Each structure stands twice: as structure tokens, then as C-alpha cells.
Amino acid sequence: MIWNTGRAFSLTGFLWDRTSHSSYRMYEFPINDLLLGPDPEDDEILDLGPSMEQSELEREGFQLREDLKFYFMSPCDKYRARRQIPWKLALQVLKIVMVTTQLVLFGLSNQLVVSFKEENTMAFKHLFLKNYSGTDEDDYSQTVYNQKVFYERINHVIDQYRQMGNLSLGTVSYENDEKRKALKICKQHYRKGLMQPFNDTFYIDPTVETECLHMDRESLTSDLPLDSIINSTFFNLEFYRLIKVEISFRLKGIDLQTIRARELPDCYVFHNRIIFDNQAHSGKVKIFFDSDAYIQDCKDWHISGSIQKNTHYTLVFDGFVILTCLTSLILCTRSIILAVKLQRRFVGFFIHRYNRKVSSGDRLEFINGWYIMVIISDLMTIIGSVMKMEIKAKNLTSYDVCSLLLGTSTLLVWVGVIRYLGYFQKYNVLILTMQASFPKVLRFCCCAGMIYLGYTFCGWIVLGPYHEKFEDLNTVAECLFSLVNGDDMFATFAQIQQKSTLVWLFSRLYLYSFISLFIYMILSLFIALITDSYETIKNYQQNGFPVTNLHEFLRGGDVLYEMQTYEKHRVNPVPLICCCLKPQEDDNPILRN
């Protein structure tokens, strides 16, 4: 455009810069100044450098704001904005169905394994423990109080082992291993000793010696009488020196009940141990029965029918589970990588534009904790599925490790469903309350734990000799936790022995103070902390959540002013990794994701 300004003609140029979807900014500059140089009479010289740099920053900020808004959108909002299909959401729903189905199938198979082990252990107790009642006393099975019964129980074990082929109803037999002896009997005792309680005299050498007697299967299964087989000198026991006698033997069995579930049978090795424990030397010998079952490959087997085909179908299904989890793992890892890149862009822009560092809270907004949990779940599912396939093919027998991996991964998958419910405001209260109350609850538990440990150690050392629930630290901790939950209170009070009046009075003071302190005070404060967080979240949902620098940047407001206000009125904002609010025109999408 040409303007007559009094000195020849003045050429004026205009530069238009787009600042948003529908707004533009105009810059005016004299062209003749660019061509002929500035007028010496002019007082001001126009400098275009800062304006061009400002314009570039604004364009960069606008693009960054749009990318951030899209990143923090929910899957449905992303589809409405750019028609981006929510593949991760669909994949997670599919994964929930497949992983749960896989877990149920493995659980039914594992249930057969557990029942076979438990039922065989119970059958062995009835076979090898004389007059076994079917119920164990605490952690041991039987007790012996005189020497005659002690020898009878040992002879009964040996005799039952000799006749097991004619007595057992199960699919068990002797182990066919020529290098290993069939039955091993070991005794532990002090090397030397002299005991004279009548005049309070004793001599003992605490060195422990172990002697073992090995018996082969040929001699045990022969028709010879038992007395001619057993070495009488070995069983000439001095009970004041005797610590324990251990009888161990191995048996083999086949679990045929898996055929009904269309699975290949398992071959087992049972390592059985019967221990006569006399460590206390109190006149009461405890008898323990321990049976460890190990699964091993069946050497020669043949099954007619469709079991082999059913196994192939299961292996194919496990392969699909692995493929689904691997795809989910790749997508979630990709999302985390993109989030880290976006975080770096935002941090760099914030430093360059406002000369301020981004707070740690705003940095953590980019790290989606749900994705990390999904990645952990996918890794555990993949490893557990591979182990399950190996177990199914009878190449691996680690049922416990596989159960741990598949069970934990399924737990994380179902917990992850809460993320999608979090996009609805009414369902998001639980997540926000847990996130807001977790730091307070953690600090509170640390303080309450000190008191709890104090009561635990005190109860163990004082009440341990007079109450069975206070005999060891683990039992004391479990007993006190039950009291906090109001369980078994009367029995705890009633079972204290009244042999010592001082200890009995202390036990009353101890139990009354613990119950009153933890139930009426500590537990009430614990609930109050969660209730306070719940009320805070409800107030935030009604009046708005605390606004940080990131939130204000997404809204397009004056970040410098908001930073000053934020520093003056700083509050601890609720982590909003998965928050959701009802969408509004000027809502910040970070509060909805």
C-alpha cells in the first residue's frame, strides 16, 4: 500500500501471522525503510527480529498445545477428534476374556494336581502311622509318651512298607532304582551323656552324631520275619541322648484322574519322611509326617482316543494368548515412548518460552501408570503361558511358579479395567480417593506400625510361655491382627493360663490397652483419613481441581500469571494420571484422562 506522508511516497507493508484456528495478527513495517534505509528524522527504528521470534514461539506453542490435548484425551474423544480407532481399548477387552479363560482352564487342571497330592498324603498317614485319627495336632500328627509305643510305631512303619503292595488302594508302588536303598532309618543323638536326675547330676557332650541304617527292597519284601531283618543293636536307644529318629522312603504313583479332564496323566515321585522328634526331652515325642510330591516325565505311555488332539487345541489357544499380550505390550510401550518424547518437548518449550523449569508433578502427568501395570501384566502372562504350554506338553512341572505368574497377571488385568471406568466421573471416585489418600495412609501406617511391633514383641516375650497364640512372633502378629478386626477376642482372653498372677494381670492390661488403642483410636483415625480424602475429591469435582502450570498451558491462559499465583497458593494436587471430568468447552483434557 502507498501512502503520501509529505516526503515523496511511503511504502508500507503488512505481515499476517496465524495465531489460532480463526485469529490472525498483523505486523506493519515501512518498505521504503527497508529499501532506502530509515529516515534520519525518525525517532524509532522498527526491529523485526523479536516479532518474528515471538511468532515462531507462538506457532510452536500452539502445535504443542494441540498435541498435548490429543494425548490426554480418552479413547472415545480421540476417535471423535481424529477418527483414531481405540486399538488398545479393544485389545484390553479381548485380553481380559482370553487371560481369564486361560486361568480358569489352568486352575481346573491345577486343582486335580493339588487334590491328588493331598489325598495321597492323607492315605500315607493312615497307612504308616499306627492308630492315626485323621486329624493333626498343631503341625505334628501324633505323640508318643512311652518307650514301648515308640518301638511299636517304628516297627509298624517298616511292616507297612513291606506289605504296601497288598495294602494300598492307590496307584503307588516301590521305586525301581537299584542305586537307591528302599528304606533309610537315621537317628541323631548326643555323642556322650550321663543323666542322674535324682541327685541333680548330668554330663552331656553336645556334639551331635548321626547314624543311618539302609534296608534294600529284597530283604524287606522277603518272607523273613521282621525281627530277623531289623538290626537290634541299632535300635538300642538311649532316650536321654536321642534327638530324633527319621524314616525316609520313596514311592511312585500315576495320576489317572486327569484323563477325565482330557489331559495326559502325570507321573509322581513321593518322598516321604516320618520324624520322631525328641529335641525337648520332655517325655513327649512328636511324630511328624512329611510328603513331598514331584512330577516327572512318564517314560513309556500310550493313550487311545482324542486326548492328544485336545492338548493341541489348548496349546494353540495359549499361543493366541501370547500373541495378544505381545501386541498389547508393544502398543503400551510405544505409548510410553511417545509420552516421554512429548514430555521433553513440553519441558524444552517451557524453559525456552518462560525461562522456568517444569515441576515434578507436571512431569509425572505424562507417565501413565496404567500402561506400566499393563506392561508388567503382559510380561507375566507371556512367561506364564510359555510355562503352561511346557507343563501341558509334560516338559516342565513348575506348577507353583506358573500359578503365581498367571494369577498375578490376571489380577493386574482386572484391576486395569478400573482405568476405563475412570473416564466416567461417577465411577472415578474410588481411583481418585485411593490416589489422594495413599500418601497419608502410608505415613499413618508407618507410625501405627511402630506401636504394633512394640505390642508384638512385648506379647511374645511375656505371654509366650502361658498362651499358645503368643508362642512365636508370627503367631503373635496374626493374633493381634485378628483382634484389630474383632475376631476371636473371648478365646484370646480365656486361653491365658493362670499359673502366674502377675502375668495374668499383665495379660488383661495388655489386651485391653491394645484393643482400645487400635480399634477405638488408630482404626478410627485410619478411616477418617480416607473419608477426608473422599470429601476433598467430592469438593474438587464440584468446584474444580487445583490447576498446575500444565493445566493452564492447555487452557491457553496467561501461564506467567498463573505460575505466580500457583507459587503463592500452592496445594498438593491430586495425581491426575487417570482422572476424568465431565467434558466442557473449556475443560482441560488432562483432567479427563
Side-chain angles (χ1 to χ4, degrees), residues 130 144-156 239 276:
K130 187 176 182 180
V144 174
Y145 295 96
N146 61 73
Q147 298 183 17
K148 180 181 179 181
V149 177
F150 183 89
Y151 287 115
E152 287 179 355
R153 298 296 168 85
I154 293 180
N155 294 335
H156 178 79
F239 287 92
F276 296 81

Side-chain angles (χ1 to χ4, degrees), residues 20 45 49 58 79 92 130 160 165 175 177 226 279 303 330 411 431 465 513 521 529 550 552 584:
S20 63
I45 298 178
E58 290 182 358
Y79 178 77
Q92 296 305 318
K130 187 176 182 180
Q160 291 294 99
E175 184 181 26
D177 189 354
L226 183 62
Q279 296 185 45
I303 301 175
I330 294 174
L411 170 64
I431 303 174
S513 62
M521 183 179 295
L529 288 176
L550 176 60
E552 186 60 31
Q584 297 177 359

Side-chain angles (χ1 to χ4, degrees), residues 259 262-264 301-313:
I259 296 179
R262 298 185 178 276
E263 295 184 9
L264 296 177
W301 56 271
H302 176 73
I303 301 175
S304 60
S306 59
I307 294 181
Q308 189 70 18
K309 184 182 296 184
N310 181 74
T311 302
H312 290 163
Y313 290 152

